[in-house]
Amino acid sequence: MVALVLVATLSAHAALFINNNTACDRSLYIYASDANLPGPCSYYIWLKVPAGTSQAYNNTGALNAPGYVWRDASVGPAGYITMQANGSWDAASLTPYPATPEVGRAGSCAPGNMVTVTAGCPYILTWTSLGGGNVLVDIN
């Protein structure tokens, strides 16, 4: 799987790869920024990641599709917004907005790149920068 992800990063620009290797469905919050709102974690979006599945998005603009809604993090749930395709992936969290994201890139709004949670359906959430703005988010 890792080899396939690394090969895919060669042709993708700022791709996001998500793996949920747990037995629990997850609500993942992704944080991003672009030229319109360049501060780290200016936007956030909620994604459902079913147990034992993987998802991939070519760029931040790929989540402007029906069924997905980017929100302005300074406004909250009412602030619907469109994201540019050349945006940056900044952070991720299984803890709902407006809590601080759990993991992310260096210099973003997240405290680090790995967190372990033992309560409920336990997990280890990991953020791995693959180069070129590409990111792998693992939920184990």
Side-chain angles (χ1 to χ4, degrees):
M1 177 65 168
V2 172
L4 291 174
V5 169
L6 292 175
V7 168
T9 64
L10 297 176
S11 62
H13 175 70
L16 174 66
F17 304 96
I18 304 166
N19 295 319
N20 180 359
N21 299 310
T22 70
C24 302
D25 291 346
R26 301 294 183 169
S27 295
L28 182 67
Y29 290 78
I30 298 294
Y31 294 78
S33 55
D34 69 10
N36 291 325
L37 292 172
C41 305
S42 294
Y43 302 88
Y44 75 96
I45 195 165
W46 171 86
L47 304 172
K48 181 179 180 182
V49 186
T53 65
S54 296
Q55 298 176 7
Y57 302 96
N58 287 334
N59 57 60
T60 52
L63 290 171
N64 290 328
Y68 299 103
V69 179
W70 282 106
R71 293 179 169 92
D72 181 335
S74 67
V75 178
Y80 301 110
I81 197 161
T82 300
M83 183 77 175
Q84 293 182 0
N86 62 352
S88 297
W89 305 109
D90 294 332
S93 187
L94 294 172
T95 304
Y97 172 88
T100 301
E102 295 174 292
V103 297
R105 66 175 174 80
S108 74
C109 57
N113 62 2
M114 187 174 85
V115 66
T116 300
V117 174
T118 57
C121 185
Y123 62 88
I124 298 170
L125 183 63
T126 306
W127 178 281
T128 305
S129 294
L130 302 172
N134 300 297
V135 174
L136 172 63
V137 175
D138 272 320
I139 308 165
N140 292 300

